[in-house]
Amino acid sequence: MSLLQVNRVNHSYNSKRFFKWKDQMNKALSDISFSIEEGKCVGLLGTSGAGKSTLGKVILGIQRPQQGQILFQGHDIYNADKRTRQMLRRDLQVVFQDSYSAVNPRMTAERIISEPLENYEKLTVGERRKTVISLLERVDLSEKDLKKYPHQFSGGQLQRINIARAISLKPKLIVLDESVSSVDMVTQSLILDLLKGLKEDFGLSYLFITHDIKAAFSISDTIGVLEKGELIQMYDSKDQFFSSKHPVVMQMKDSILAEHPRFRSIFN
Ligand SMILES: Nc1ncnc2c1ncn2[C@@H]1O[C@H](COP(=O)(O)OP(=O)(O)O)[C@@H](O)[C@H]1O
Ligand SMILES: [Mg+2]
């Protein structure tokens, strides 16, 4: 059984227009099916507006699709009982792109990271602090950062705090929606290394959503290309992707090579 199975998901947004007869449905996801195995990272690559975030939200259980099914460990997440939903909330976590807006600016790093623990684990204050310190250390921060506020961290450090919070309940799957897209290249590569290490250590699975081919290939085991709401193909290797003659993939390759001829090296 796959950890996550996406079955024939369709979703449209109703875009209300001033004139009623002009109401129209915007198709954001068209008949999407794929699965994620335990310990694996599926990359979801697509240009802006392709439907990536919508698919992420559908998988996280926060956007019920009009059609289709999301099975997490065999449970239909939109038709689950209370206990299963509670389990899902622990096992499915998310890290978004904008690290600053994901956190409450008035909370210290300690409170940000310990919030899920307070909600789900019965720990004493001392145990919780110990856990938070070890989580900070796991993301290459330290005890000294416990009492700092979001504005005292760089974007990359704050993204580490978001990652620490996401792993605090030892989830099975993390949806990373453009999580490394707004940091510089060096920070990006450090965070990608951190994510790869966590994946190995905890047997985590990721849905890695990005518009960045290089980042997608650096971490993913399989890459799905999403275009105008359609999952046009899943690729199991770089070779498969770069030898694809699909017009959407050809265009992606052309644009990255035109912009950064040096990136040829990532294709090897
Ligand atoms: N809340 C919403 N209401 C109406 N349309 C939306 C909403 N969210 C996204 N869309 C539309 O759905 C399509 C897919 O958006 P999104 O999933 O955010 O794409 P991506 O994350 O790949 O950029 C776009 O055309 C977008 O304008
Ligand atoms: Mg998006």
Side-chain angles (χ1 to χ4, degrees), residues 2-210:
S2 302
L3 178 68
L4 180 94
Q5 212 171 331
V6 177
N7 279 341
R8 311 206 61 171
V9 163
N10 284 272
H11 189 70
S12 300
Y13 290 106
N14 188 2
S15 64
K16 281 257 179 275
R17 295 290 162 93
F18 185 73
F19 298 108
K20 254 209 155 89
W21 62 88
K22 281 201 172 164
D23 266 21
Q24 62 176 56
M25 296 298 275
N26 275 343
K27 190 123 203 181
L29 297 173
S30 255
D31 207 20
I32 306 282
S33 298
F34 69 98
S35 52
I36 304 181
E37 305 303 322
E38 211 160 297
K40 297 286 180 194
C41 174
V42 171
L44 192 62
L45 187 60
T47 50
S48 168
K52 304 181 299 296
S53 294
T54 303
L55 185 52
K57 287 180 200 158
V58 167
I59 289 170
L60 285 162
I62 53 183
Q63 175 69 67
R64 181 189 276 268
Q66 274 124 7
Q67 281 175 38
Q69 226 182 10
I70 305 294
L71 298 177
F72 187 79
Q73 296 184 309
H75 300 285
D76 178 345
I77 68 168
Y78 288 100
N79 289 299
D81 57 36
K82 202 173 159 211
R83 235 190 100 237
T84 310
R85 281 205 306 273
Q86 223 160 3
M87 179 268 292
L88 288 168
R89 253 181 262 134
R90 293 189 63 139
D91 281 351
L92 264 167
Q93 296 291 328
V94 62
V95 178
F96 289 111
Q97 170 169 17
D98 185 351
S99 50
Y100 285 100
S101 67
V103 296
N104 181 336
R106 290 188 197 86
M107 282 189 181
T108 60
E110 177 171 24
R111 281 211 54 209
I112 292 169
I113 297 172
S114 59
E115 220 181 16
L117 293 166
E118 281 169 38
N119 294 334
Y120 286 95
E121 303 266 6
K122 288 193 179 65
L123 299 175
T124 64
V125 175
E127 285 168 339
R128 202 156 58 220
R129 171 159 293 182
K130 256 178 83 181
T131 308
V132 172
I133 292 170
S134 71
L135 285 163
L136 276 171
E137 285 168 352
R138 187 61 191 79
V139 298
D140 301 325
L141 292 165
S142 76
E143 192 173 348
K144 289 199 298 265
D145 298 308
L146 276 175
K147 297 292 167 211
K148 287 189 193 163
Y149 287 90
H151 71 271
Q152 294 173 286
F153 293 106
S154 68
Q157 288 172 327
L158 204 52
Q159 203 56 314
R160 287 167 192 280
I161 288 173
N162 283 318
I163 292 169
R165 179 173 61 182
I167 60 170
S168 64
L169 297 172
K170 302 193 177 71
K172 302 242 163 41
L173 176 70
I174 304 184
V175 174
L176 300 150
D177 190 349
E178 304 278 10
S179 307
V180 295
S181 301
S182 46
V183 293
D184 61 82
M185 292 298 266
V186 175
T187 308
Q188 181 179 104
S189 119
L190 291 171
I191 293 182
L192 284 168
D193 285 345
L194 169 68
L195 290 169
K196 286 182 229 174
L198 293 172
K199 176 171 172 275
E200 292 308 311
D201 291 357
F202 300 118
L204 273 170
S205 302
Y206 296 138
L207 178 69
F208 185 80
I209 295 176
T210 185

